[in-house]
Amino acid sequence: MHVIPGLFLLPSSRLISLEGVDIAIIAIYFAAVLLIGFYLKGQSRTGDDFFLAGREMTAWIAGLSFLSANLGSLELMGWAAASYQYGILATHWYWIGAIPAMLFLGLVMMPFYYISKTHSVPGYLQLRFGEPSRALSAVSFAFMTVLMSGINMYSMALVMKVVLGWDINFSIWVSSLTVAVYVALGGLRSAIFNEVLQFVLIWLGSLLIPILGLIEAGGWQGLQQRIAHNFNQDYTHLWRTLGSFSANPMGIHWTGIVLGLGWVISFGYWTTDFLVVQRVLAARDLRSAKMAPVIGAGFKMLVPFIVILPGLLGLGVLPMKLVGEGAAVASGGHSYNEVLPLMLARYCGPGLLGLGITALIAGFMSGMAGNVSAFATVWTYDIYRAFMNRKATDAHYVGMGRWCTIIGVLISIGTAYLVMQFQSIMDYVQALFSFFIAPLFGTVLLGMLWKRATPAGGFWGLLAGTLSSIGMWAWVKADPSALRIIALSPDARDMAENMYRGLWSWIICVAVTYAVSMMTAPLPEKSLAGLVYGCTEIPSEGAIPLHHRPAFWAAIVIVVFFALNLYFW
Amino acid sequence: MSHGNKVISIWFFIGALLLIYGILITGAGIHGLAHPPTTEVVLSNLHAAIWWGALLIVLGAVYLYLYAPSRKNRS
């Protein structure tokens, strides 16, 4: 769920100059996150402490951390840029592309993750489908996680260079080593605590832009009029333009948004990507684990206010017209990707500017900490313990987790420098990451809801879905005209291709899992207890008040979700 | 929102940080009144740094009070 392409081509002029108070605010932030890491060092002695934060997090802490791990700085800058380019359509990635999936995770899938007492999503696959599925899932996840972490790191450093004139090496090493120190010291608990801190800073550092922007533009209706005056296309309606591929700037049809994004890509990311699921596994009880994604969903609905609205405000109030990256480099102008820093510089003077930059850095760190803590867990439990050293002590695995954190960060730094040399790698890695998510969702979903699914069915379905996704991507690369087959229209663009490729690979995964399962012997139901719907007794929530029930809050979230979609239709 | 009874709540740390930030940002805003910067931001007449900084001070103070370790020990 990242939008990074193009940040590499940002022109090399500095947008913002910081004053002493701004530098002080940034320095205090670094000191604070390190202080928290050192403070929590003594609290991470056992494996459960280090990798699952002792399973003691409240629903609020787990929920905010769950959201914060996804709210990286590139998420902020990338989607602000996308909203300048595509208008309010980018909001679909926050609403239909997240809310239903987060609620489904909380209410339907979380009980199985939580009751099975697994440490990770690959760990669940091992319990349900056996070692081959776990191995395929764990190796792919570990590899992609550190690669993505490095790419994000380099992109962030490049942004800091363009926005503030900071040296790329300085940004990479200072930020990433800070993350390494606080995660290695305090494990997941330190990562989660810092993510909550970062969540607050992201909001307080970003919130002034939409507030002041709406004041300048004359409210939402004033903004709509300004955009309509500046541009001919409809940038302010969510669904009205999705009747055909050519009627909207994204080149996508509503079926791609609903089935590709809203179903496969979104459910794949939010329910099976261990980077986010790990935060919820740290919850202190099942009710908190179910409540955490619901809380996350409530806040996720508000994120467009600080991400999408600044991009739309850019369309309405900026005196210059932002262009694509190539045109910006050629003309010396500003690209879409600079819209958030431009808006920050437009409204924020000394002090507030430092807080805004701190929000961006906090976003980067929360995303990176999410990556390295998830990597450390999957490596230690699903690769090292599963295939290399089964009988070591708990203390040994904690030590391995600490070292993995450091090594994961160093590999990420190496990746960052690799990307610096071969920038096209990023496109490939982004695509590789997406290959895995959609079929994994098919495998986990069938594993949880269909007791007839067998280990062979799970493994071959996952493999077939992943390979078919790679095959479709390679086909379009080799023959661009194949896009009209994969994405159902020659007018489809990159975003649409990703959505439909995800949908097809998910269907292939499900079909193969079904076919192979029906040809192989079913597992005895007794062995599926705690893992599969129909074989698992979900503990009752007891006689608790309505307002303490996750389903009650999920219902409120879904009502608001529909209301927002109708209002901005 | 804390870990067991042994760990200081994360909200306490957040309160401390917001209080410090609020003081710094409000101070910068007041300083800007006396010494306006050469390049003024849009809507500078609203003095956003002053009221946003004040908001951070209030939020920080409330969290510091509610989640102070001494308060937890007393209860």
Side-chain angles (χ1 to χ4, degrees):
Chain A
M1 304 295 269
H2 298 280
V3 173
I4 310 174
L7 288 178
F8 295 110
L9 298 172
L10 288 168
S12 57
S13 58
R14 181 198 297 192
L15 290 179
I16 293 173
S17 291
L18 299 181
E19 297 196 6
V21 65
D22 302 310
I23 302 290
I25 286 173
I26 296 168
I28 289 169
Y29 165 73
F30 275 90
V33 294
L34 287 172
L35 176 72
I36 291 173
F38 277 101
Y39 175 68
L40 293 173
K41 183 187 175 199
Q43 305 294 325
S44 297
R45 296 190 182 91
T46 70
D48 258 10
D49 283 341
F50 190 84
F51 296 109
L52 287 173
R55 289 188 191 261
E56 290 174 338
M57 296 298 116
T58 63
W60 273 94
I61 299 280
L64 296 185
S65 166
F66 171 71
L67 188 54
S68 186
N70 162 261
L71 202 60
S73 58
L74 292 167
E75 189 85 4
L76 301 178
M77 299 211 21
W79 284 110
S83 67
Y84 187 95
Q85 192 175 0
Y86 301 120
I88 202 171
L89 291 182
T91 308
H92 286 305
W93 271 254
Y94 288 88
W95 289 352
I96 194 169
I99 305 306
M102 293 165 93
L103 299 180
F104 187 78
L105 170 68
L107 299 185
V108 179
M109 296 177 79
M110 211 56 230
F112 300 104
Y113 279 137
Y114 200 83
I115 292 170
S116 68
K117 292 288 175 196
T118 181
H119 287 92
S120 65
V121 173
Y124 175 81
L125 288 183
Q126 186 269 331
L127 294 170
R128 179 64 181 87
F129 291 125
E131 291 294 358
S133 295
R134 173 181 26 202
L136 178 59
S137 163
V139 170
S140 309
F141 179 81
F143 181 66
M144 290 305 142
T145 301
V146 287
L147 241 51
M148 285 301 293
S149 175
I151 286 168
N152 289 352
M153 185 191 301
Y154 174 64
S155 304
M156 180 64 197
L158 199 61
V159 168
M160 287 300 158
K161 181 175 188 292
V162 172
V163 175
L164 301 170
W166 287 0
D167 178 66
I168 281 189
N169 298 305
F170 171 81
S171 296
I172 286 178
W173 283 93
V174 170
S175 301
S176 54
L177 288 183
T178 304
V179 172
V181 168
Y182 79 69
V183 178
L185 286 172
L188 185 63
R189 179 175 285 120
S190 178
I192 286 177
F193 272 36
N194 272 306
E195 281 160 6
V196 175
L197 172 74
Q198 288 149 356
F199 179 87
V200 172
L201 291 178
I202 288 168
W203 274 92
L204 291 175
S206 311
L207 201 53
L208 262 183
I209 295 175
I211 292 173
L212 293 174
L214 283 176
I215 292 173
E216 185 189 4
W220 172 245
Q221 291 189 343
L223 177 62
Q224 282 181 301
Q225 287 165 4
R226 280 174 181 248
I227 294 174
H229 177 262
N230 294 346
F231 300 88
N232 284 327
Q233 211 152 10
D234 185 346
Y235 281 97
T236 53
H237 290 99
L238 266 179
W239 294 98
R240 204 169 287 181
T241 61
L242 292 180
S244 78
F245 286 90
S246 56
N248 61 79
M250 203 173 265
I252 197 164
H253 188 258
W254 69 267
T255 54
I257 291 288
V258 174
L259 299 175
L261 173 65
W263 173 238
V264 174
I265 300 291
S266 160
F267 275 67
Y269 177 78
W270 287 103
T271 65
T272 64
D273 190 325
F274 185 54
L275 165 67
V276 287
V277 172
Q278 185 180 27
R279 271 73 198 142
V280 189
L281 288 176
R284 65 184 177 189
D285 53 37
L286 180 56
R287 194 186 72 81
S288 300
K290 291 168 75 175
M291 197 65 172
V294 178
I295 292 171
F299 280 99
K300 184 75 176 176
M301 277 196 300
L302 302 177
V303 175
F305 195 68
I306 58 170
V307 176
I308 306 298
L309 193 48
L312 295 175
L313 286 164
L315 286 167
V317 303
L318 283 179
M320 76 291 272
K321 193 169 180 178
L322 307 186
V323 292
E325 302 77 30
V329 171
S331 66
H334 295 291
S335 82
Y336 307 130
N337 296 306
E338 294 170 67
V339 67
L340 195 58
L342 281 169
M343 298 302 287
L344 192 63
R346 183 176 180 83
Y347 298 120
C348 296
L352 291 176
L353 209 49
L355 188 63
I357 296 298
T358 301
L360 291 179
I361 297 172
F364 161 73
M365 285 189 168
S366 64
M368 187 177 183
N371 277 309
V372 295
S373 54
F375 167 78
T377 306
V378 167
W379 170 269
T380 305
Y381 280 126
D382 297 306
I383 298 175
Y384 179 72
R385 189 174 74 174
F387 302 106
M388 297 178 192
N389 187 355
R390 282 180 180 274
K391 294 180 180 171
T393 62
D394 190 54
H396 175 83
Y397 293 127
V398 173
M400 174 58 69
R402 288 192 206 279
W403 279 109
C404 272
T405 303
I406 305 287
I407 291 168
V409 168
L410 291 176
I411 296 173
S412 301
I413 291 173
T415 307
Y417 283 101
L418 194 67
V419 175
M420 211 182 290
Q421 301 300 317
F422 307 100
Q423 293 181 357
S424 60
I425 287 176
M426 201 192 74
D427 293 335
Y428 295 94
V429 173
Q430 287 251 91
L432 275 174
F433 196 77
S434 72
F435 296 156
F436 194 67
I437 284 294
L440 180 62
F441 170 55
T443 305
V444 173
L445 188 71
L446 286 178
M448 282 184 178
L449 302 183
W450 190 42
K451 58 189 175 187
R452 183 65 181 78
T454 65
F459 174 75
W460 289 109
L462 184 58
L463 191 62
T466 305
L467 292 179
S468 65
S469 186
I470 295 169
M472 284 183 275
W473 175 81
W475 186 20
V476 174
K477 277 280 177 198
D479 175 14
S481 66
L483 187 61
R484 68 188 167 80
I485 300 171
I486 300 295
L488 305 178
S489 167
D491 295 325
R493 298 194 191 167
D494 289 352
M495 289 278 196
E497 184 199 347
N498 289 333
M499 297 305 107
Y500 283 102
R501 194 177 63 230
L503 180 60
W504 303 139
S505 63
W506 180 82
I507 290 173
I508 289 168
C509 168
V510 170
V512 171
T513 304
Y514 176 80
V516 175
S517 294
M518 295 310 286
M519 290 187 288
T520 47
L523 290 170
E525 285 200 17
K526 201 170 62 179
S527 68
L528 301 177
L531 299 171
V532 186
Y533 182 79
C535 304
T536 303
E537 191 176 339
I538 309 291
S540 162
E541 289 174 348
I544 56 173
L546 188 64
H547 67 279
H548 284 171
R549 293 183 186 275
F552 171 74
W553 290 104
I556 290 180
V557 168
I558 210 73
V559 167
V560 176
F561 164 78
F562 277 109
L564 286 170
N565 276 278
L566 286 173
Y567 183 78
F568 292 103
W569 187 273
Chain B
M1 311 281 174
S2 63
H3 163 233
N5 293 317
K6 295 174 285 186
V7 179
I8 297 174
S9 169
I10 182 59
W11 300 112
F12 179 78
F13 288 102
I14 290 171
L17 195 64
L18 293 187
L19 184 65
I20 295 168
Y21 279 178
I23 292 168
L24 285 173
I25 291 170
T26 308
I30 293 170
H31 181 263
L33 285 179
H35 306 89
T38 48
T39 316
E40 291 226 328
V41 295
V42 175
L43 299 178
S44 58
N45 56 313
L46 295 182
H47 306 295
I50 295 177
W51 54 265
W52 198 250
L55 175 72
L56 297 187
I57 290 174
V58 172
L59 280 177
V62 168
Y63 275 111
L64 272 182
Y65 173 74
L66 289 178
Y67 295 97
S70 57
R71 188 176 155 83
K72 195 167 70 177
N73 289 341
R74 280 199 305 271
S75 62

